[in-house]
Amino acid sequence: MTGKLDLDPAAVAAARALAREVGEPVVRIAREHTTVSVERAVLRLAGITGADPDGIPWVNRLADAVRDQTGLERGVALPVFDALIRENWGLGDLLLLAQKAAAGAVEFRLPADPQAARAAAHQAVSRGIARIDANRRERESLIAGIGDAPRKPWIYLIVATGDIYEDIPQAQAAAREGADVIAVIRSTGQSLLDYVPEGATREGYAGTYATGENFRLMRAALDDVSRELGRYVRLTNYASGLCMPEIATLAGLHRLDMMLNDSMYGILFRDINPIRTFTDQRFSRQIHARAGIIINTGEDNYLTTADAVDEAHTVTVSQLLNEYFALEAGLADWQLGLGHAFEINPAIPDSFRLELAHALLARELFPDAPLKWMPPTKHMTGDIFRGYLLDGFFNLAGAMTGQGILLVGMMTEAVVTPFLSDRDLALQNVRYVLDAAGKLGEDFRPEPGGFIATRARTVLGEATELLQRIRGDHGLLQAIADGTFGITKRPADRGKGLDGVVAHADGYYNPATEILEGGS
Amino acid sequence: MTGKLDLDPAAVAAARALAREVGEPVVRIAREHTTVSVERAVLRLAGITGADPDGIPWVNRLADAVRDQTGLERGVALPVFDALIRENWGLGDLLLLAQKAAAGAVEFRLPADPQAARAAAHQAVSRGIARIDANRRERESLIAGIGDAPRKPWIYLIVATGDIYEDIPQAQAAAREGADVIAVIRSTGQSLLDYVPEGATREGYAGTYATGENFRLMRAALDDVSRELGRYVRLTNYASGLCMPEIATLAGLHRLDMMLNDSMYGILFRDINPIRTFTDQRFSRQIHARAGIIINTGEDNYLTTADAVDEAHTVTVSQLLNEYFALEAGLADWQLGLGHAFEINPAIPDSFRLELAHALLARELFPDAPLKWMPPTKHMTGDIFRGYLLDGFFNLAGAMTGQGILLVGMMTEAVVTPFLSDRDLALQNVRYVLDAAGKLGEDFRPEPGGFIATRARTVLGEATELLQRIRGDHGLLQAIADGTFGITKRPADRGKGLDGVVAHADGYYNPATEILEGGS
Amino acid sequence: MIVRPYGDTTGDGMVQVSFTLPVPHSKRAEGAALQLAGKMGLEPAMLVHAKPMGPDFTFFVVYGSARHLVDMSAVEVIEREYPLLTAKEVNAAIKTRLARPLVVVGACIGTDAHTVGIDAILNVKGFAGEKGLEYYGELRVVNLGAQVLVPDLVEAAIAERADAVLISQIVTQKDAHLANTREMSAAFREAYPAGQRPLLVAGGPRFDETMTAELGIDRIFGRGTTPGEVASYLVHALAPDRVAQPEEIR
Amino acid sequence: MIVRPYGDTTGDGMVQVSFTLPVPHSKRAEGAALQLAGKMGLEPAMLVHAKPMGPDFTFFVVYGSARHLVDMSAVEVIEREYPLLTAKEVNAAIKTRLARPLVVVGACIGTDAHTVGIDAILNVKGFAGEKGLEYYGELRVVNLGAQVLVPDLVEAAIAERADAVLISQIVTQKDAHLANTREMSAAFREAYPAGQRPLLVAGGPRFDETMTAELGIDRIFGRGTTPGEVASYLVHALAPDRVAQPEEIR
Ligand code: B12
Ligand code: B12
Ligand SMILES: Cc1ncc(COP(=O)(O)O)c(C=O)c1O
Ligand SMILES: Cc1ncc(COP(=O)(O)O)c(C=O)c1O
């Protein structure tokens, strides 16, 4: 806690304890379920890649075949490796198995004695996890060798052409101009695909598909430019949507550095079933924890549909929950890019000081987390001049309150996905603000008991109350059903991907969870 | 003193005392001289207006005729009113006298017994001063009746089309969008004219001529819009250049509210003779004092040619001198719009905090003066987006340090004199900053002994040293000759308008000075 | 009436332009920027800023006087040709002229998930101080939400016996909004007998309102549309006042 | 080579434009803005911002794809046709080829008082790390300063036997710079016998460098000119290397 707000440590501890109480039942549910994507992630860790001629990944074909024959209540691992053993194939022959299974030529079963299948599965998945571990070590050694981002906040820029081959030069150009983190925005629609497309792709809408190959290409391009620039440029994508666990896995396998990963975004903004989301989320966070990936949560999104002042406390509540779920899944504080945003209507009086209050509250509640600070979007208009100014004040608030990851705002926010020149201008904006006023925080000391301190305390108070209410009423799932977050109602028994949720049966086996939870 | 910088009151008092020491000899020189423009100003107060068919004002024709015949060592008043009495004309017949004099048909003399001429001159000039007094009262009653600017800083905008009839609607539009003060920039070249053009004018370059009629038209237009808006919108022009005293007089006669008026600008930037400038300045300030006009000084200009960091202390020195000269001429603290500017190269580290240090120093040195805060100009480029951002940070620095008069910066600074839309966008910028962060000063408390406080103290120290050096060496005139200010060298015996400077002889009589200094 | 852009003097024609050219920065590149400005009709043109962006691109800011004249009498614009009604008037019109609730089916189609715009029109909460269509007693609103596939939309329209189908399209990259809208109108043409399809209305901030015919729909609403405008249009199109508008009777 | 403006994809042609029209804000006004965008060659054009400025004006921001092609081979640009010399080389060239100091008279003419630009070229202090012409041993520089009237400039040029006259013009409102430059060149034409006038050079950030013939002068220098460029040009024009450039011998 940097102590500019004079927050009462007892009040902070109480809020945190409430978040745990509210989160625990949900973790219990997540532990008791699996999903099609969790199971496919296991198979991806075991090494399967590629897609059939229609573009459906072999991992989907295989998992579907297993599900048809044995169900997923005990996981895919046992039936798959049992079949592999029976075929007398090696651990590297999963693809063959998938192809044969897709042709209807494999019979899956739950082996009565699971020992051999378990061992094989464990061994296969271990290899994937070893690759993740190696990537983590490589990242660390690259950073040590090449150098790291020169300062905090890290400067985070998106590319979004839809074509990985246009994205690459744009990302490199952005890095040269000063970006520390490049995010490749995904195509609209990908989040609702129940498979991860394969290969290099060139036809996304307002974003580029997240695929293993795209990850690899972009990471390699950024490695080149990192060496050129003498600083390691990080790569981000989205472990979000119906394939959250698989994308997290691909991220680990291709050395991505940060991932958008929120406990509730999919529920609220993509109408994905809540149980599915929480189950997928827990698995994906275990992967991220292992991979040394920093997650970015999505509280900023609430403020695009809800009012940033009225609903400020829902952001705090969500941050506390995201923190709880993340720590429970094994992430460390330095991996928690908790989200928030500069989305207060600029027409309201003292809007900038309100932003400072909210941003400082997050800073002081989560002193060791590299907070992700999102630029204005909702109140951006076609007036690009006004937008450029607003982005400058966003940058200033970020600097003054010590945010960790600064998402760079674009003057064309209300118009188009960013032009090359928008990014260049936006980086110039960031550079000016950080160079000229980056240390203004030293001279920023909110009047004790004044406007800013009072506002921060009010928001914390409202957040605590809301957590109490959620606990007292019927828990988090019910609160989500009631429209508590982002003013969107999502009942637990509805939503997309529900049919991919499966309750564990006795004997459920997941070698990945075993390794990740065992820490081995 | 608002006390954020912990300035040593003794150091402040010492600097001020030095400024007085340095200024006093110059005041003595000013008291011992008159200029053609001071004399013409006397005749303007006595009521003469209009121009001959070539556009040369009658007041010039008359003063020239007097000078030819009697010299100006004892002023124009005695010869002129002596002639008027001899012609048996009334006080209202000065124009006739001028016309006749221009035709070579009047003989001027210095009356042996000046009593009658003195009385007539005193009476005639009193009428002009009474009109100035009435304007001051009218301003006060308009402000009381209509309402004043809603807050500090006052928002100050320029119009500069060159055509008074284009200026008027643009000024009204600017007022409607929020301007509290309208400045009509003058045409290039006017400052070196040794006469004030007459009538409404439509052909200025990058500015509109300052004329009595243009003053009247614009003030009337702003009165209309003031009533429409329910707040009195102030009007500014330039009492600067070779006709400083006359323009000050016209400003008083036409109820202008503020005037650019600097003790050294004309010397440094227009190569006007130093004695001429100091003499003209003293007279014009006496008029401004009487008229209740706020002066704006021109320290900002230094920073367009000199470096804003290296030469920051010259701004402070000039402010202290301008303050001394102003108070000596009878102006009150509330009339001292001492100038300074946001002109530090934005590429240097911590530039914004340096700006805050400088701005706060001025604020604390002159706690009761409505400081005039000039936007960036020198480091503005054709990158209008960057310019718009820089202007936003300028506005922020102004708000955080409690500046009194905020000159609104334009994104097209490096391109063109302002477009209508530039003004509108600039006002939107100011409004956003003041509404969103106008009260950020409350939370701005420079670390005691930190970067900002140390910088402010350094500048004050350097200013004090420079004043000591000026005193120790050969005084202010020599310092100006040596290029101390704005890195421009101006010897006291050179420069434009030198031939219009006349040392008083025994029996010099100036009814205006008599009234203004007597306070009657 | 003929007008020209206004910088600071009537008729000066002043316009500001910025763009990137995919060429490295050089005098030649600056000349290229001026060539483009000239082709856009700026004369004279002032190149006031040129910034290299990496080795392959240069960003420019140009000011200049556009020699084009704007002919106000030739301006093409979809003017509202119907009166703006209050909620009360809308309800009354539907009640008396249609004698049954008017059914509206709304959706954000394709992969677009931006529901704020269509919700602003449909939900009770409304927009800019006006209540949304759900608030109107005589309108029955079925809001299908985000990322609705066209076949699902058609099916819902048939099931609900929709009088009007309202779709929203916010993402416009690679003209996604145009492709989706065309797909939608084609599907309705196929699913319904000729002349019987529901009224098709599209909305979103980047549509060109004059493109209805090209897209095969009846009306487009753009930036800042209010629910009242939409309701009034629905009355005008689906429950017109036959007495007041005799030319509509066939 | 043909190129087009680049937004985020090769060939997309994207351009940003802003301007004011002297018409009150309305749908018609927006249509007028789109008409202008169309005439400028933007197709499609998106009107993304319209802001009333008082009762008589509206400000617009438009984005669109410019259909014009930029032909790099047709770009007009005054390329430096002479080598950039160091101060040493300049001095040596003048010494050996001219055998006397080269005389330069500089001024900011008309009512223009912006001396920073001409001072940057002439004063020792210089510009962008390069020393100004005063620093060159073989150049004799007479800087007349600000607001110099044309007759005074001609007189000084004659008195100093100027080889080159350098004038600066920063204020461009109502094309003041063009009028002043024309007045200047006419005065020199009158004052000197044909073919004997000094080299006439103008500079300032808003000049069009291709206008020399129209203005009756020899060379124009624009934004960001450095003293070295000017010195090298003076050598090229006034003390050319006759051996290296045989085509110059007549
Ligand atoms: C809020 C928002 C989101 C929210 C959406 C939440 C939700 N439930 O809607 C979240 C955070 C989820 C989001 C996500 C994304 N977004 Co988004 N988002 C915005 C934002 C900030 C505001 C849009 C908005 O709500 N406007 C307010 C409403 C009221 O205005 P409106 O939509 O124009 O609607 C009005 C009129 O147009 C009209 N209207 C609209 N529809 C209809 C329909 C009918 C029938 C009628 C009559 C009228 C009508 O009436 C409305 C009221 O006047 C804009 C940027 C901006 N400032 O505009 C980007 C923006 C729209 N998003 C964009 C993108 C690219 C995305 C993503 C694809 C990014 C990514 N790859 O991750 C994702 C995925 C979304 C998807 N699959 O579609 C781009 C689109 C670029 C383009 N032109 O193609 C924008 C412009 C930002 C940008 N510059 O990149 N986004
Ligand atoms: C500094 C400055 C001043 C200073 C001038 C001090 C001085 N001694 O020069 C002061 C404060 C006095 C001033 C006053 C005014 N200024 Co002024 N000023 C500027 C400012 C901020 C910077 C100009 C500058 O110094 N640039 C730096 C130099 C190095 O660049 P440069 O001039 O382009 O020169 C380079 C090249 O062009 C070239 N070059 C230039 N001349 C020559 C000559 C030769 C022979 C060669 C080879 C090359 C060459 O080489 C130089 C080095 O690369 C500009 C705004 C801006 N940011 O550009 C406004 C600006 C030039 N001023 C402007 C105006 C209108 C005025 C006033 C008329 C306002 C008024 N009515 O009160 C007054 C009066 C001035 C007058 N009578 O001329 C306008 C001009 C608008 C226009 N396009 O017509 C500008 C653009 C501001 C604006 N947007 O309104 N100003
Ligand atoms: C956590 C999270 N996931 C995903 C997205 C992107 O949306 P989509 O689900 O369409 O990829 C966002 C948007 O910012 C987000 O914050
Ligand atoms: C005191 C003063 N006088 C005059 C001017 C304007 O210049 P000019 O003398 O050309 O009117 C300025 C410029 O800002 C100034 O500060």
Side-chain angles (χ1 to χ4, degrees), chain A residues 27-71:
Chain A
V27 170
R28 216 170 305 128
I29 294 172
R31 284 176 172 281
E32 290 163 359
H33 287 81
T34 188
T35 72
V36 286
S37 183
V38 166
E39 298 304 323
R40 294 193 300 256
V42 170
L43 295 176
R44 285 183 183 273
L45 282 169
I48 194 166
T49 57
D52 74 9
D54 296 334
I56 304 299
W58 289 117
V59 72
N60 283 59
R61 302 298 306 262
L62 180 56
D64 288 351
V66 173
R67 185 175 194 184
D68 284 348
Q69 296 184 40
T70 71

Side-chain angles (χ1 to χ4, degrees), chain D residues 176-201:
Chain D
H177 60 314
L178 305 182
N180 287 334
T181 304
R182 282 200 191 93
E183 184 196 333
M184 184 272 302
S185 66
F188 275 95
R189 258 195 315 280
E190 222 168 79
Y192 280 83
Q196 304 200 10
R197 68 154 170 78
L199 196 73
L200 298 180
V201 177

Side-chain angles (χ1 to χ4, degrees), chain D:
Chain D
M1 191 179 64
I2 303 290
V3 298
R4 296 187 64 199
Y6 182 101
D8 71 347
T9 313
T10 302
D12 62 19
M14 294 304 293
V15 161
Q16 172 270 328
V17 181
S18 77
F19 53 82
T20 299
L21 291 180
V23 292
H25 181 229
S26 68
K27 276 213 133 178
R28 238 193 144 64
E30 298 194 358
L34 285 169
Q35 186 193 91
L36 176 64
K39 289 187 175 173
M40 291 175 73
L42 304 192
E43 192 187 310
M46 300 187 284
L47 188 117
V48 304
H49 179 61
K51 159 98 176 24
M53 296 186 296
D56 304 321
F57 295 93
T58 312
F59 178 66
F60 299 96
V61 178
V62 178
Y63 277 80
S65 177
R67 33 162 210 268
H68 309 294
L69 305 180
V70 176
D71 181 353
M72 292 301 292
S73 64
V75 166
E76 270 181 57
V77 39
I78 304 293
E79 294 271 21
R80 185 162 45 74
E81 71 281 23
Y82 50 88
L84 250 186
L85 307 179
T86 63
K88 221 168 159 174
E89 291 165 339
V90 167
N91 284 330
I94 297 176
K95 207 161 195 165
T96 57
R97 298 181 206 153
L98 217 61
R100 63 165 174 85
L102 198 149
V103 180
V104 173
V105 170
C108 205
I109 63 169
T111 55
D112 202 326
H114 291 91
T115 51
V116 177
I118 183 104
D119 287 349
I121 302 300
L122 297 183
N123 290 4
V124 175
K125 200 178 158 206
F127 185 68
E130 287 183 12
K131 299 272 186 219
L133 302 195
E134 284 180 0
Y135 170 78
Y136 291 69
E138 297 299 318
L139 291 175
R140 191 162 68 77
V141 174
V142 182
N143 186 347
L144 300 175
Q147 300 191 321
V148 176
L149 300 180
V150 166
D152 298 345
L153 176 68
V154 174
E155 198 180 297
I158 294 172
E160 305 284 354
R161 298 173 162 273
D163 296 296
V165 171
L166 273 56
I167 63 123
S168 181
Q169 286 287 274
I170 311 301
V171 174
T172 58
Q173 212 208 24
K174 300 188 189 152
D175 287 338
H177 60 314
L178 305 182
N180 287 334
T181 304
R182 282 200 191 93
E183 184 196 333
M184 184 272 302
S185 66
F188 275 95
R189 258 195 315 280
E190 222 168 79
Y192 280 83
Q196 304 200 10
R197 68 154 170 78
L199 196 73
L200 298 180
V201 177
R206 299 285 162 262
F207 270 109
D208 176 343
E209 297 183 3
T210 63
M211 284 180 71
T212 42
E214 253 173 283
L215 296 176
I217 61 179
D218 299 298
R219 191 78 173 201
I220 293 173
F221 287 93
R223 272 168 47 248
T225 304
T226 62
E229 290 169 343
V230 179
S232 304
Y233 168 71
L234 292 179
V235 167
H236 163 77
L238 294 172
D241 182 350
R242 306 259 155 208
V243 182
Q245 303 175 349
E247 76 281 9
E248 280 204 335
I249 307 172
R250 239 147 284 171

Side-chain angles (χ1 to χ4, degrees), chain A residues 185-189 205-207 238 265 269-270 301 304-305 377-381 412-418, chain C residues 111-118 120-121 127 147 166-173 201-206 221-226 230:
Chain A
I185 296 295
R186 294 193 307 183
S187 176
T188 61
Y205 273 122
Y238 293 67
Y265 176 88
F269 290 88
R270 291 295 170 266
N301 297 289
T304 66
T305 50
T377 65
K378 182 180 180 174
H379 296 287
M380 294 290 275
T381 68
T412 48
E413 171 63 33
V415 184
V416 287
T417 43
Chain C
T111 56
D112 202 327
H114 290 90
T115 52
V116 177
I118 182 107
I121 303 298
F127 185 70
Q147 300 191 319
L166 273 54
I167 63 121
S168 180
Q169 285 288 275
I170 311 300
V171 174
T172 58
Q173 211 208 24
V201 178
R206 300 283 162 261
F221 287 92
R223 272 168 48 249
T225 304
T226 62
V230 179

Side-chain angles (χ1 to χ4, degrees), chain B residues 381-383 414-415, chain C residues 17 19 21 25-37 42 44-51 58-64, chain D residues 204-209 222-223:
Chain B
T381 68
D383 183 348
V415 184
Chain C
V17 181
F19 52 82
L21 291 179
H25 181 229
S26 67
K27 274 212 132 179
R28 221 171 174 74
E30 298 194 359
L34 284 169
Q35 185 191 92
L36 177 64
L42 303 193
M46 299 187 285
L47 187 117
V48 303
H49 179 61
K51 158 98 175 31
T58 312
F59 178 65
F60 299 97
V61 178
V62 178
Y63 277 80
Chain D
R206 299 285 162 262
F207 270 109
D208 176 343
E209 297 183 3
R223 272 168 47 248

Side-chain angles (χ1 to χ4, degrees), chain A residues 146-261:
Chain A
I146 293 178
D148 204 348
R151 65 175 153 196
K152 290 265 176 131
W154 288 343
I155 295 168
Y156 174 120
L157 267 188
I158 66 168
V159 295
T161 67
D163 177 342
I164 187 69
Y165 294 107
E166 295 266 357
D167 286 343
I168 284 176
Q170 297 203 10
Q172 291 182 322
R176 288 191 187 99
E177 289 293 318
D180 301 311
V181 182
I182 298 290
V184 181
I185 296 295
R186 294 193 307 183
S187 176
T188 61
Q190 174 163 17
S191 48
L192 296 187
L193 299 180
D194 213 340
Y195 64 92
V196 181
E198 274 283 330
T201 68
R202 312 198 61 162
E203 65 303 297
Y205 273 122
T208 306
Y209 287 100
T211 76
E213 179 62 6
N214 287 346
F215 286 5
R216 194 187 64 74
L217 287 167
M218 185 57 93
R219 186 57 267 172
L222 292 183
D223 281 348
D224 286 349
V225 85
S226 296
R227 287 199 188 87
E228 172 191 325
L229 298 171
R231 57 185 166 82
Y232 184 77
V233 179
R234 288 179 171 76
L235 175 59
T236 300
N237 210 292
Y238 293 67
S240 196
L242 289 175
C243 293
M244 183 190 288
E246 292 169 272
I247 296 182
T249 301
L250 291 168
L253 292 171
H254 293 286
R255 189 168 31 87
L256 268 70
D257 308 283
M258 295 176 35
M259 293 300 277
L260 274 275
N261 181 265

Side-chain angles (χ1 to χ4, degrees), chain B residues 96-220:
Chain B
L96 240 71
L97 184 76
Q99 289 166 337
K100 197 167 166 189
V106 182
E107 235 179 81
F108 293 103
R109 59 164 200 186
L110 278 159
D113 176 0
Q115 221 30 64
R118 256 180 113 113
H122 188 282
Q123 195 189 338
V125 167
S126 293
R127 289 188 192 170
I129 298 209
R131 203 171 129 201
I132 289 178
D133 291 341
N135 278 336
R136 179 175 183 155
R137 283 193 303 274
E138 186 176 9
R139 179 190 306 114
E140 284 161 6
S141 92
L142 282 170
I143 291 173
I146 294 177
D148 204 348
R151 64 175 153 197
K152 291 265 175 131
W154 288 344
I155 295 168
Y156 174 121
L157 268 186
I158 65 168
V159 296
T161 67
D163 178 342
I164 188 69
Y165 295 108
E166 295 267 357
D167 286 342
I168 285 176
Q170 295 202 10
Q172 291 182 322
R176 288 191 187 99
E177 289 293 319
D180 301 311
V181 182
I182 298 290
V184 181
I185 296 296
R186 293 193 307 182
S187 176
T188 61
Q190 175 163 16
S191 48
L192 296 187
L193 298 180
D194 213 341
Y195 64 92
V196 182
E198 274 283 331
T201 69
R202 312 196 63 163
E203 66 301 297
Y205 273 121
T208 305
Y209 287 99
T211 75
E213 179 62 5
N214 286 347
F215 286 4
R216 194 188 65 74
L217 287 167
M218 185 58 92
R219 187 57 267 172

Side-chain angles (χ1 to χ4, degrees), chain C residues 95-247:
Chain C
K95 205 161 197 163
T96 57
R97 298 180 205 152
L98 217 63
R100 64 164 174 84
L102 199 149
V103 180
V104 174
V105 169
C108 202
I109 63 171
T111 56
D112 202 327
H114 290 90
T115 52
V116 177
I118 182 107
D119 286 349
I121 303 298
L122 297 182
N123 291 4
V124 176
K125 199 180 158 207
F127 185 70
E130 287 183 12
K131 299 272 186 219
L133 302 194
E134 284 179 3
Y135 170 79
Y136 292 69
E138 297 299 318
L139 291 175
R140 191 161 69 77
V141 175
V142 182
N143 186 347
L144 300 175
Q147 300 191 319
V148 175
L149 300 181
V150 166
D152 298 346
L153 176 67
V154 174
E155 200 179 296
I158 295 172
E160 303 286 355
R161 298 170 163 274
D163 296 296
V165 172
L166 273 54
I167 63 121
S168 180
Q169 285 288 275
I170 311 300
V171 174
T172 58
Q173 211 208 24
K174 299 187 188 154
D175 288 337
H177 60 313
L178 305 182
N180 286 336
T181 304
R182 283 201 191 93
E183 182 195 336
M184 183 274 300
S185 65
F188 275 96
R189 257 194 315 279
E190 221 167 81
Y192 280 84
Q196 303 200 9
R197 68 152 169 79
L199 196 74
L200 299 180
V201 178
R206 300 283 162 261
F207 270 110
D208 175 345
E209 297 183 4
T210 62
M211 285 181 69
T212 42
E214 252 173 283
L215 297 176
I217 61 179
D218 299 298
R219 190 81 174 196
I220 294 173
F221 287 92
R223 272 168 48 249
T225 304
T226 62
E229 290 170 342
V230 179
S232 304
Y233 168 71
L234 293 178
V235 167
H236 162 78
L238 294 171
D241 181 350
R242 307 261 153 206
V243 184
Q245 303 176 347
E247 76 284 7

